[in-house]
């Protein structure tokens, strides 16, 4: 059973605690700028290097295949742009959400497969998940997927159409696709960070954001366990800023939306799996409420809202692991006895 009664009191202290964090003599700002410049350099080198020729060849092949697939999808919706934009995007979102959460949900409910449990971020939490809270969360997620999302898409379709978003015609080049994803990521980070931090002010937290923090040890589906206002302001708007501004093809928007759903599912999943994004930063946010408001971490570094997290064992584990060995074994918590120590103690007894 998740402890949710103390959430509000902790959230009320967020703003003061965030703003009173001691600066790390400017090194965090330098680090954040270094991350930004490094990312820009890597993107530039990737696009201009000979290696990008192979990536471009792969993309061109995908365009050839996806062009046929997209034509089929477009015809399936009777070449009706509003219908494809609203119902097609909703269907894509529902399918992606179910696929990405399937394994997590099975393990959270049944405790199987057992091998997945060794990758749990918070040991002993949601093992098994509280079914009453789980089904309540499922109801909220269903409403957001099947009601909130299509209503938002219907409301914003005229604006997207006016700005030049398109559903037919040539798919973007590899360079254009890469550029759009960079812009999407930056604008999503900006919109999410500031709206999320705003939602952690005492009044707005109690009014809108407290529901999302019912889970101090989140699971995958809690990524959209929120009220309508929060879903629109802190999820849908930041996610759609980039496609609006870049006037993106709907297929690119679908790829972007799928990526965001995958990222946020892993962020809330509660499992730090090999070769996937690390959920440590956002999982820590659900435990403490007062740090890690963004996704990329850049604005958290610039505003020093990563300080409660920095220096913890969770921060040391916050990277994409390329080892099948659980991250908790690679970076054991010094406050907890190791498995070998426990075994030795049992042998002595």
């Amino acid at each position: 059973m998740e402890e949710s009664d103390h959430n509000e009191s902790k959230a009320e202290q967020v703003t003061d605690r965030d703003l009173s964090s001691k600066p790390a003599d400017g090194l965090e700002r330098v680090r954040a700028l270094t991350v930004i410049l490094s990312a820009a350099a890597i993107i530039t080198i990737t696009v201009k290097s000979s290696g990008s020729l192979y990536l471009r060849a792969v993309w061109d092949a995908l365009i050839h295949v996806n062009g046929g697939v997209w034509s089929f999808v477009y015809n399936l919706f009777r070449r009706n742009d509003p219908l494809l934009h609203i119902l097609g995007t909703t269907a894509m979102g529902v399918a992606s959400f179910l696929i990405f959460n399937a394994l997590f949900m099975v393990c959270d409910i049944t405790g199987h497969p057992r091998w997945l449990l060794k990758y749990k971020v918070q040991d002993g939490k949601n093992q098994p998940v509280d079914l009453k809270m789980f089904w309540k969360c499922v109801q909220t997620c269903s409403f957001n997927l099947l009601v909130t999302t299509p209503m938002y898409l219907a409301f914003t379709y005229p604006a997207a159409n006016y700005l030049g978003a398109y559903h037919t015609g040539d798919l973007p080049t590899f360079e254009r696709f890469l550029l759009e994803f960079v812009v999407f990521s930056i604008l999503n980070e900006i919109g999410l960070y500031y709206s999320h931090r705003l939602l952690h002010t005492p009044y707005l937290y109690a009014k809108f954001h407290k529901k999302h923090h019912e889970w101090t040890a989140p699971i995958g589906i809690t990524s959209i366990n929120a009220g309508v206002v929060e879903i629109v302001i802190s999820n849908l708007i930041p996610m759609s800023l980039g496609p609006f501004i870049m006037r993106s093809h709907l297929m690119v928007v679908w790829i972007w939306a799928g990526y965001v759903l995958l990222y946020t599912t892993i962020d809330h999943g509660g499992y730090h799996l090999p070769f996937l994004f690390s959920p440590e930063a956002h999982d820590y946010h659900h435990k403490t409420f007062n740090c890690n408001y963004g996704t990329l971490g850049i604005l958290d570094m610039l505003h020093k809202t990563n300080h409660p997290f920095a220096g913890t064992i969770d921060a040391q584990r916050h990277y994409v692991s390329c080892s099948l060995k659980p991250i908790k074994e690679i970076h054991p918590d010094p406050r907890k006895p190791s498995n070998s120590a426990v075994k030795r103690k049992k042998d002595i007894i």
Side-chain angles (χ1 to χ4, degrees), residues 320-339:
V320 177
S321 174
C322 295
S323 171
L324 295 178
K325 188 177 182 180
I327 199 80
K328 291 177 292 189
E329 296 179 14
I330 299 174
H331 301 282
D333 190 339
R335 298 167 298 179
K336 297 180 180 179
S338 63
N339 291 334

Side-chain angles (χ1 to χ4, degrees), residues 6 12 40 72 79 106 156 181 199 203 230 240 263 269 279 282 289 298 328 342:
H6 67 290
E12 290 173 353
F72 171 78
R79 309 182 70 84
V106 169
T156 57
F181 248 66
L199 285 170
Y203 175 78
E230 178 179 348
S240 56
Y263 191 100
H282 196 70
F289 304 88
I298 296 173
K328 291 177 292 189
V342 173

Side-chain angles (χ1 to χ4, degrees), residues 42-113:
I42 290 171
I43 292 168
T44 302
I45 293 171
T46 300
V47 171
K48 292 187 176 182
S49 69
S50 59
S52 68
L53 294 175
Y54 297 102
L55 295 174
R56 191 178 295 109
V58 172
W59 176 252
D60 290 342
L62 288 174
I63 283 181
H64 179 73
V65 173
N66 287 333
V69 173
W70 189 254
S71 296
F72 171 78
V73 172
Y74 193 61
N75 290 326
L76 186 65
F77 284 86
R78 306 191 177 207
R79 309 182 70 84
N80 186 313
D81 287 2
L83 193 67
L84 179 63
H85 187 95
I86 298 167
L87 295 185
T89 304
T90 299
M92 185 282 304
V94 171
S96 299
F97 186 81
L98 291 175
I99 292 170
F100 298 151
N101 279 282
L103 179 60
F104 291 150
M105 285 193 292
V106 169
C107 191
D108 289 333
I109 294 173
T110 68
H112 296 281

Side-chain angles (χ1 to χ4, degrees), residues 2-3 6-8 10-15 17-18 121-122 192-201 205 208-219 222-223 225-226 230 234-235 263-264 266-270 278-297 300 304-310 312-315 318:
E2 300 292 334
E3 302 95 355
H6 67 290
N7 293 2
E8 188 169 3
K10 293 177 81 171
E12 290 173 353
Q13 303 170 13
V14 166
T15 306
R17 292 170 67 183
D18 287 345
V121 176
Q122 297 188 46
L192 175 60
Y193 176 86
Y194 291 110
S195 63
H196 189 188
R197 195 170 178 188
L198 189 64
L199 285 170
H200 272 266
T201 55
Y205 178 89
F208 301 113
H209 195 46
K210 184 179 178 181
K211 181 179 183 62
H212 185 66
H213 275 282
E214 290 172 345
W215 296 75
T216 54
I219 61 174
T222 61
S223 59
N225 180 50
E230 178 179 348
S234 199
N235 290 70
Y263 191 100
T264 192
I266 295 172
D267 233 13
H268 291 84
S278 167
E280 301 285 347
H282 196 70
D283 197 274
Y284 192 86
H285 170 78
H286 273 262
K287 284 193 294 186
T288 62
F289 304 88
N290 65 332
C291 62
N292 300 342
Y293 300 106
T295 55
L296 301 178
D300 280 299
K304 300 184 175 70
T305 49
N306 66 327
H307 279 199
F309 174 68
T312 64
I313 187 65
D314 306 81
H318 187 49

Side-chain angles (χ1 to χ4, degrees), residues 1 10 15 46 75 83 132 147 155 172-173 185 187 227 304 310:
M1 182 75 178
K10 293 177 81 171
T15 306
T46 300
N75 290 326
L83 193 67
K132 183 177 179 181
V147 179
F155 182 79
T173 62
S185 299
L187 292 178
K304 300 184 175 70

